[in-house]
Amino acid sequence: MSDFVLRILHHDGTEEVKDLVPGDLTIGRGGDNWICPVDPAMSRYHAVIRGALDFPAIEDLGTRNGTHVNGSRIDSITPLNPGDVVEVGATRILLVAVGNSVEIRRSDATLEIEGGDQREQIIARSDLMTDLIHRADRFARSDLPILITGETGTGKELLAGRIHRASPRRHAPFVILNCPALAPGLAESELFGIEGGVATDVRARPGRLEEAHEGTLFLDEIADLGLEVQAKLLRFLQDGTIEPVGGRSKKRVDVRLVAATNQDLETAMESGRFRRDLYYRIAAVHLDLPPLRKRPEDIPALVEHLLQRRDNGHLRVDDRALAALEGHDFPGNVRELDAIINRAAALVDGSTIRAGDLALESNRTTAQGATTTNPNEVIEALTAGRAEFWRDIHQPFIDRELSRTSLREIIARGLELSGGSVKDLATLLGVEKDYRKLVDFLRNNRLLP
């Protein structure tokens, strides 16, 4: 019996579910096909599903209209993973892992996949994102450790969840550990567990690695782990064993590691904050999630999805508002877009969100009601030698009072005044003792080559 079923949405709106069976399964209008819908947009022999029981893949049979997976036309045999939407003619076919409840939302690669309390929502219409997702799906079938990089709010955790659900480990636990949220000194016991009796009233409890046995452990913001814990994690990746805090014996656990960070690990390694040998272990596969500003083609589908989720499609965004969103810099990426749409939807009169309802840039205020930081004033203070990095640049940017565009202008002016030297810029900004932190900040925000 296969781990998958197909949910077929025919062009006339009717649906059916088919269990996968052994062999090559053809799709087309011809009556001798395994799936043979009455679909005028489909060729007589359109596509074939190969390896259906274990690792299904789809191949187009040289058709004029082509076969599409998650919105992208395929030109070779393409592996399929749970939640993938295949378009053949006007018919859509969704691959579903047995036990999952799946909803199709048209053919724009907007997928909602539910299984237990896990939910994946990945919007992919741009070539950047669809190519990345296909690459992630291919590597999901292996046990190679994967490193996901990208700015805050780009969806690193969602991609990690998709990788788990597309892997042979999908029926085992998907465990998440948010490294920055760990209190000092607790990272080791959270990861590796603790032996009973280590201290008074301390009970034995498993760590996240043990909880993820036979499944996937997702370490979010792995760069925030201390060096001592990094060393223990490296040992686990080398020999597959863990030693709980206070324990005297090792345990063998079988875990696939997916890690993520928004930091520049190369800089962290140069400064000694991250082990280079660990980097090579966790980055057997490196997936870099593009920021939203580099994939504006995804914004219309994202907006539609967010409105559908919030108001069941009762609201719409007009063309000028959509154009304003496509031209916005989005330092907070999809998370920021979600906040903008939620705010506009809560305040709009009527059923249409217009550009003025979005409160982009010029209308932005802080939680205390202060107006947005004026970049011209910061540049003036910088030129006069009165600007201070943490107060005038870093904190306003973190608080969203200073846009990424304004940040670029300020840093460009600072580098101009410093003759292009980042060290001289650190002196100009009064942070020469925090030079490395300044470099990290500039590189993380793509302000240095």
Side-chain angles (χ1 to χ4, degrees):
M1 179 178 176
S2 174
D3 288 336
F4 310 104
V5 297
L6 296 180
R7 181 176 173 183
I8 305 166
L9 181 62
H10 293 286
H11 76 291
D12 60 0
T14 60
E15 296 185 31
E16 67 173 306
V17 175
K18 292 184 69 106
D19 294 323
L20 288 174
V21 296
D24 290 343
L25 311 176
T26 56
I27 305 169
R29 285 188 294 109
D32 55 343
N33 287 289
W34 187 68
I35 299 177
C36 52
V38 182
D39 181 349
M42 189 183 294
S43 298
R44 182 171 179 81
Y45 297 100
H46 199 109
V48 58
I49 299 174
R50 303 191 186 280
L53 284 185
D54 299 314
F55 299 106
I58 189 81
E59 181 182 5
D60 184 73
L61 295 176
T63 59
R64 178 181 297 177
N65 294 337
T67 299
H68 295 73
V69 176
N70 298 335
S72 295
R73 184 167 180 161
I74 63 172
D75 56 11
S76 60
I77 297 177
T78 301
L80 294 176
N81 295 284
D84 282 347
V85 178
V86 177
E87 295 173 69
V88 280
T91 302
R92 293 191 295 279
I93 302 171
L94 183 64
L95 182 69
V96 183
V98 174
N100 275 1
S101 168
V102 184
E103 180 180 359
I104 297 181
R105 291 192 184 280
R106 292 175 297 282
S107 61
D108 57 9
T110 300
L111 307 178
E112 291 194 6
I113 303 172
E114 298 184 23
D117 60 354
Q118 300 288 346
R119 171 171 286 196
E120 177 185 20
Q121 298 173 321
I122 294 183
I123 310 299
R125 186 161 300 169
S126 65
D127 289 343
L128 274 177
M129 278 298 290
T130 53
D131 289 349
L132 180 75
I133 289 172
H134 290 156
R135 185 164 178 252
D137 288 345
R138 287 197 298 272
F139 283 113
R141 299 179 184 278
S142 75
D143 257 352
L144 291 171
I146 293 179
L147 175 65
I148 304 172
T149 57
E151 297 177 7
T152 298
T154 49
K156 295 186 287 294
E157 183 177 321
L158 294 181
L159 184 60
R162 180 185 177 96
I163 289 167
H164 171 72
R165 283 183 283 274
S167 77
R169 297 174 179 267
R170 58 187 168 273
H171 299 303
F174 175 59
V175 177
I176 300 171
L177 181 60
N178 183 21
C179 300
L182 296 174
L186 293 184
E188 184 177 352
S189 60
E190 282 292 327
L191 259 178
F192 302 100
I194 190 167
E195 196 78 15
V198 172
T200 306
D201 297 328
V202 171
R203 296 182 179 179
R205 60 179 175 83
R208 301 300 176 91
L209 280 164
E210 191 171 351
E211 290 174 355
H213 180 57
E214 296 185 340
T216 304
L217 174 64
F218 175 55
L219 291 181
D220 197 11
E221 298 306 334
I222 190 173
D224 286 299
L225 287 178
L227 289 171
E228 186 176 346
V229 179
Q230 290 179 35
K232 288 198 69 172
L233 180 60
L234 176 63
R235 285 197 295 273
F236 161 71
L237 292 171
Q238 290 171 335
D239 63 18
T241 63
I242 59 172
E243 186 175 337
V245 174
R248 296 183 179 180
S249 60
K250 293 184 176 182
K251 299 180 180 180
R252 182 166 293 279
V253 293
D254 175 20
V255 174
R256 199 265 184 86
L257 183 71
V258 179
T261 183
N262 64 5
Q263 297 187 38
D264 182 351
L265 287 185
E266 185 60 43
T267 300
M269 288 185 288
E270 288 176 1
S271 64
R273 292 185 292 108
F274 198 83
R275 295 179 62 111
R276 192 171 291 275
D277 48 3
L278 177 59
Y279 171 79
Y280 292 134
R281 283 283 181 177
I282 65 173
V285 177
H286 181 193
L287 302 174
D288 188 39
L289 269 168
L292 190 53
R293 64 182 174 276
K294 290 188 177 179
R295 48 186 181 99
E297 309 96 309
D298 290 335
I299 290 177
L302 279 163
V303 169
E304 181 182 356
H305 173 72
L306 294 171
L307 287 175
Q308 182 72 31
R309 187 181 67 184
R310 189 185 190 283
D311 287 295
N312 294 318
H314 296 148
L315 288 174
R316 60 177 291 271
V317 175
D318 72 13
D319 290 343
R320 291 186 65 184
L322 199 57
L325 288 169
E326 289 174 338
H328 187 56
D329 209 29
F330 285 108
N333 292 292
V334 179
R335 195 173 297 151
E336 180 184 358
L337 175 63
D338 190 12
I340 289 170
I341 294 300
N342 279 330
R343 181 178 62 231
L347 299 176
V348 69
D349 292 324
S351 60
T352 301
I353 296 174
R354 295 176 170 80
D357 299 318
L358 297 173
L360 294 177
E361 203 61 47
S362 60
N363 295 328
R364 215 178 266 169
T365 60
T366 66
Q368 292 77 27
T371 57
T372 302
T373 298
N374 187 331
N376 293 327
E377 291 179 0
V378 179
I379 290 174
E380 182 180 338
L382 188 64
T383 304
R386 292 184 285 102
E388 201 277 326
F389 175 67
W390 301 113
R391 180 195 65 215
D392 300 320
I393 298 174
H394 184 272
Q395 197 58 49
F397 179 69
I398 295 299
D399 291 340
R400 303 286 190 262
E401 298 173 36
L402 188 68
S403 72
R404 188 175 296 272
T405 301
S406 297
L407 175 66
R408 286 198 194 102
E409 294 173 3
I410 293 167
I411 296 303
R413 177 56 177 160
L415 287 170
E416 180 185 335
L417 292 168
S418 306
S421 167
V422 180
K423 285 190 176 180
D424 289 344
L425 175 62
T427 301
L428 179 65
L429 293 171
V431 289
E432 56 269 27
K433 292 182 179 179
D434 293 322
Y435 167 71
R436 280 294 173 188
K437 290 183 179 180
L438 175 64
V439 171
D440 286 350
F441 175 80
L442 297 180
R443 284 185 173 167
N444 288 341
N445 289 286
R446 311 297 195 269
L447 298 172
L448 287 179

